[in-house]
Amino acid sequence: MKDHTHDFVEDYTGLVGYGLDRDTDEATVQFYLQKFSDDVCMRKILPRMEQKDLDTVFELISELLRKHFSEPEYHAVFLKDESHGS
C-alpha cells in the first residue's frame, strides 16, 4: 500500500478559484498543490527552475511545516515515519 495520496484532486468537483471564501481558498490551494506535485508536472518544471526558485519552494514548505506541525506531526504526517519517538 502506498503511503502518499492525492485523492482530493481526483475527486474534487467544486470551484477552483481564489479569494471568494476561506473554504474555496483552502480547496484551491490543495487542488493546485496536488496538480503541481504530480510526477509528470515535476519532471517538466524542475529542470526549468532556477536554483533560486528551488530554494524558494523548499524554504516556504519548510517554514510552513515548522510553523504548523509539532515535531511528532512532522514525522508522522509529512515524513510518514510512524516509528519516530516510539
Side-chain angles (χ1 to χ4, degrees):
M1 183 171 149
K2 293 184 178 185
D3 289 334
H4 299 89
T5 61
H6 283 84
D7 296 330
F8 181 83
V9 73
E10 298 296 339
D11 300 331
Y12 183 66
T13 59
L15 176 67
V16 176
Y18 199 83
L20 181 64
D21 57 59
R22 177 66 188 222
D23 289 341
T24 305
D25 288 353
E26 288 180 14
T28 297
V29 168
Q30 185 171 356
F31 185 90
Y32 264 54
L33 286 172
Q34 288 188 359
K35 296 286 277 184
F36 185 75
S37 66
D38 177 76
D39 289 344
V40 174
C41 185
M42 286 286 97
R43 280 194 299 273
K44 286 281 191 181
I45 199 167
L46 286 172
R48 300 175 188 186
M49 291 172 69
E50 297 175 1
Q51 186 62 45
K52 182 179 177 184
D53 299 325
L54 294 172
D55 294 346
T56 299
V57 170
F58 182 81
E59 289 168 10
L60 174 63
I61 292 169
S62 296
E63 179 182 335
L64 291 170
L65 290 168
R66 279 191 303 272
K67 182 176 180 180
H68 297 288
F69 279 176
S70 65
E71 184 150 342
E73 287 175 314
Y74 169 77
H75 284 274
V77 177
F78 184 73
L79 296 180
K80 308 290 190 205
D81 178 10
E82 295 293 337
S83 67
H84 181 76
S86 299

